[in-house]
Amino acid sequence: MNTKKGIMIACAVIIAIILICAFKQYQYSQRANVKVPILLYHNFVTTVPEHDPDNFNYINTPESFEENVKTLLENGYTIISMKDLDEANNGKKKLPDKPIIITFDDGYYSNYEYIYPILKKYNVKTSIFIVTDKIGQELDGIRYLGWNECLEMQNSGLVEIFSHSTKHVFYNRLPVKEIRDDVKKSYQLIEQHLGKQDLKVFAYPYGAYTKQTVKTLKNDGIDFQIYDLGINNFKNLDKNFMKRINIPCEMTGKEIIEAIEKGTF
């Protein structure tokens, strides 16, 4: 009797495992085959200079950003957060048909001064990747966010704050231990000032990485790693190899949509 009961239990366990595997396979097959573009902005200026040492790739205007947001929304895009993407990836929510994520690098004060009001106006979510050693600083005439601004924006529910390192250096030139310590320190500072962060995303400065840095940060609990140019596809999303599209000065919303649809960026 005991033997028969044991066989029945073993069979039930095997059937349960088979069903779970089949369900996971079904879930994967049902994953939306949609593009998940992530836009990247940096600093914002009210007057575009005649000359720019970075060829106008890392500055933009508040007016241009608002036009981008308005155009994307009018063309059926849903602006989601990294948390939304994570929950969709884990099967906790459905991804919209035309999702798009907006991010900002470095943590410029202009993100708070000019962009935060636009986010509130349109009720859209964004992510800011901060260089923690620059928080509260003014360097070379450029002002960076303070922790109070970061906290205010985070508490609004519209802005996620993530790490872009402590010093903004080339990670592919550093020993792995130094990289690990740097990312840990940056998140320690973020959590010290902004509270516990359930989702941790890291954007590599200059997109500079190695296979070892990716493996190390994954093992250390970084949920998403961003370090390349391009467009992500939800069907085969790789959380450790996320891509973005850099938006140069005054690129229009129509041009962004065309780049997404044609894959030209």
Side-chain angles (χ1 to χ4, degrees):
M1 185 65 180
N2 289 338
T3 302
K4 185 177 180 181
K5 185 177 180 180
I7 293 173
M8 291 177 65
I9 292 173
C11 289
V13 170
I14 292 171
I15 291 171
I17 292 172
I18 292 172
L19 289 173
I20 290 171
C21 291
F23 179 68
K24 287 185 176 180
Q25 184 63 36
Y26 171 77
Q27 278 188 315
Y28 178 79
S29 68
Q30 296 301 303
R31 286 176 72 102
N33 187 27
V34 298
K35 296 175 181 177
V36 186
I38 301 177
L39 307 185
L40 169 59
Y41 298 85
H42 293 79
N43 199 8
F44 289 84
V45 296
T46 54
T47 303
V48 179
E50 291 186 11
H51 304 284
D52 181 69
D54 296 311
N55 199 29
F56 303 96
N57 280 314
Y58 306 119
I59 58 172
N60 226 304
T61 65
E63 293 79 13
S64 179
F65 176 77
E66 182 168 3
E67 184 276 336
N68 291 172
V69 169
K70 191 170 182 291
T71 301
L72 289 167
L73 293 175
E74 288 175 346
N75 283 270
Y77 282 88
T78 301
I79 300 173
I80 66 172
S81 65
M82 289 299 301
K83 182 180 180 182
D84 291 331
L85 178 62
D86 184 56
E87 290 182 346
N89 189 55
N90 292 331
K92 295 180 180 179
K93 65 165 54 174
K94 188 176 183 297
L95 198 69
D97 292 334
K98 294 172 72 174
I100 195 162
I101 297 173
I102 296 176
T103 67
F104 306 88
D105 271 7
D106 303 328
Y108 297 102
Y109 184 78
S110 63
N111 297 171
Y112 174 80
E113 184 177 16
Y114 302 126
I115 302 307
Y116 183 44
I118 298 173
L119 303 181
K120 291 188 287 186
K121 177 179 178 180
Y122 291 91
N123 193 36
V124 296
K125 303 173 182 178
T126 61
S127 302
I128 299 178
F129 292 83
I130 61 173
V131 180
T132 52
D133 282 3
K134 293 184 179 181
I135 293 297
Q137 303 291 317
E138 184 170 330
L139 305 170
D140 298 323
I142 298 176
R143 186 178 176 187
Y144 290 84
L145 291 166
W147 289 114
N148 288 338
E149 289 86 32
C150 290
L151 184 60
E152 179 186 340
M153 291 190 290
Q154 178 182 268
N155 287 345
S156 73
L158 298 177
V159 179
E160 300 168 315
I161 304 294
F162 297 123
S163 172
H164 195 37
S165 80
T166 65
K167 295 181 176 63
H168 203 280
V169 296
F170 285 88
Y171 266 35
N172 59 342
R173 301 175 184 175
L174 299 178
V176 173
K177 183 182 184 306
E178 189 172 338
I179 294 168
R180 167 184 280 172
D181 291 344
D182 184 88
V183 177
K184 283 184 176 180
K185 181 182 177 183
S186 70
Y187 265 109
Q188 285 172 354
L189 287 167
I190 290 172
E191 294 194 324
Q192 176 185 334
H193 292 277
L194 306 181
K196 187 178 185 304
Q197 305 294 301
D198 295 325
L199 182 68
K200 294 181 179 180
V201 185
F202 183 76
Y204 284 83
Y206 309 107
Y209 72 99
T210 67
K211 290 182 179 180
Q212 188 59 42
T213 63
V214 174
K215 180 180 178 182
T216 298
L217 296 192
K218 177 184 177 181
N219 291 338
D220 283 352
I222 298 299
D223 298 291
F224 286 90
Q225 297 185 56
I226 304 175
Y227 52 87
D228 200 6
L229 296 176
I231 299 179
N232 310 285
N233 192 300
F234 189 61
K235 187 83 171 180
N236 55 0
L237 190 72
D238 186 346
K239 295 170 60 177
N240 302 301
F241 183 55
M242 301 296 293
K243 309 168 193 174
R244 293 188 287 183
I245 305 171
N246 186 63
I247 308 301
C249 190
E250 298 189 308
M251 183 177 186
T252 67
K254 183 179 178 182
E255 289 171 336
I256 292 172
I257 292 171
E258 288 177 351
I260 293 171
E261 291 176 348
K262 297 179 181 179
T264 56
F265 35 81

